[in-house]
């Protein structure tokens, strides 16, 4: 898929917002003392994936 810089910037902005929301969701779930540690682990894995994608796209846009 070929994206313009504007599309990449929009994608990065959207991913950053998703990462922030997910981070807040994780914090709220941890504060509620969840019984399901697997759920938290899945959220954290997705958060890590999002953060990696943001870095990858930002590096690609910097080049």
């Amino acid at each position: 898929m070929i994206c313009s810089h504007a599309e990449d910037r929009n994608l990065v902005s959207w991913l950053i917002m998703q990462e922030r929301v997910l981070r807040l969701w994780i914090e709220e779930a941890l504060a509620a003392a969840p019984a399901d540690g697997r759920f938290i682990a899945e959220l954290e894995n997705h958060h890590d994936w999002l953060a990696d994608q943001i870095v990858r796209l930002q590096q690609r846009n910097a080049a």
Side-chain angles (χ1 to χ4, degrees), residues 1-58:
M1 179 169 108
I2 299 173
C3 294
S4 69
H5 277 310
E7 289 172 328
D8 275 353
R9 282 192 307 272
N10 289 339
L11 179 58
V12 169
S13 294
W14 182 80
L15 286 172
I16 288 170
M17 183 58 64
Q18 296 303 306
E19 185 270 335
R20 288 177 183 162
V21 168
L22 191 52
R23 186 173 357 112
L24 290 171
W25 191 10
I26 291 168
E27 289 173 11
E28 286 182 18
L30 287 171
D36 187 0
R38 194 178 103 217
F39 175 69
I40 297 296
E42 289 174 5
L43 288 177
E44 289 174 338
N45 286 339
H46 188 60
H47 177 269
D48 292 344
W49 177 84
L50 276 174
D52 289 344
Q53 294 307 306
I54 291 166
V55 169
R56 185 184 62 79
L57 286 169
Q58 287 174 331

